Amino acid sequence: MTGRTTTGSPTPAVREMRWWDIDPVLELEKDLFPEDAWSRGMFWSELAHARGPEATRRYVVAEIPGAGAGEGGSEGAGDGRIVGYAGLVASGGQGDVQTIAVARDHWGTGLGSRLLAELLRAATAFECTEVLLECRVDNVRAQKLYERFGFEPIGFRRGYYQPGNVDALVMRLSDPAAPATPQPPVNGVQGT
């Protein structure tokens, strides 16, 4: 994909996350989630279940192509700047969004919507009939994004995010196979 974002940088290409993406993803993870960042081992474990006929995970990265990357970033290029990532696990007809993250300088560009749409396509491919996720109660930007895609709040998990002891809002999308066309922003609040 060619073009430029509203920030003036090239439009990131969304591609499958591979092992060589773990280090730049960890840098972004630690910047965005300093209190409860995932470890290298957690990402390795997730990626171990993301390929082959028995795959139960889908992880993607958004990469701005580097000097050596192909047009729009090619599979396995790995030499651009990772500006986002997302992951989904599927089991028993249920999908669970594990993570979505977008670099701060790409907030408001629609990249979060692109990543979420990719996860919902994966949920459909995994034949999920519903998709769940947890979101920090203080992350209104993310909640707005999920609501635009049709997710509805169904409950709370008290003290879910540690060590900060922050509650999680649990949200559900009942039909991930429905067209993933987000609703327009409400009162100018777009989400990621």
Side-chain angles (χ1 to χ4, degrees), residues 12 17 23 32 35 58 62 66 74 80 84 93 101 116-117 119 122 131 143 155 160 166 174 177:
M17 183 176 171
D23 284 341
L32 296 171
E35 287 189 1
R58 173 73 171 152
S74 59
L116 183 55
L119 295 186
V131 176
Q143 291 171 33
Y160 183 78
V166 178
S174 297

Side-chain angles (χ1 to χ4, degrees), residues 35-36 136-138 157-168:
E35 287 189 1
D36 52 0
R136 290 176 63 109
V137 294
D138 58 358
R157 295 185 196 268
R158 302 287 177 210
Y160 183 78
Y161 292 99
Q162 295 296 326
N165 201 36
V166 178
D167 295 344

Side-chain angles (χ1 to χ4, degrees), residues 131-150:
V131 176
L132 298 171
L133 60 81
E134 291 86 18
C135 179
R136 290 176 63 109
V137 294
D138 58 358
N139 191 345
V140 176
R141 176 181 285 275
Q143 291 171 33
K144 297 288 184 195
L145 169 68
Y146 303 138
E147 288 170 358
R148 286 188 8 251
F149 274 81

Side-chain angles (χ1 to χ4, degrees), residues 44-112:
W44 271 105
S45 178
E46 290 297 295
L47 291 182
H49 300 284
R51 301 196 96 200
E54 302 297 318
T56 58
R57 312 287 198 274
R58 173 73 171 152
Y59 277 78
V60 295
V61 294
E63 179 181 39
I64 295 176
E71 177 78 14
S74 59
E75 168 78 13
D79 58 356
R81 177 178 169 234
I82 302 294
V83 294
Y85 57 92
L88 173 105
V89 61
S91 178
Q94 185 177 78
D96 194 344
V97 173
Q98 299 293 290
T99 186
I100 294 183
V102 173
R104 295 176 202 279
D105 63 337
H106 279 72
W107 286 2
T109 65
L111 182 54

Side-chain angles (χ1 to χ4, degrees), residues 2-64:
T2 59
R4 300 223 171 248
T5 65
T6 57
T7 64
S9 60
T11 302
V14 176
R15 63 170 175 80
E16 177 184 19
M17 183 176 171
R18 300 299 306 275
W19 66 267
W20 52 80
D21 296 314
I22 291 176
D23 284 341
V25 163
L26 277 173
E27 288 179 33
L28 192 53
E29 174 85 2
K30 289 174 184 172
D31 176 53
L32 296 171
F33 311 111
E35 287 189 1
D36 52 0
W38 283 22
S39 68
R40 178 176 277 103
M42 291 171 76
F43 280 108
W44 271 105
S45 178
E46 290 297 295
L47 291 182
H49 300 284
R51 301 196 96 200
E54 302 297 318
T56 58
R57 312 287 198 274
R58 173 73 171 152
Y59 277 78
V60 295
V61 294
E63 179 181 39
I64 295 176

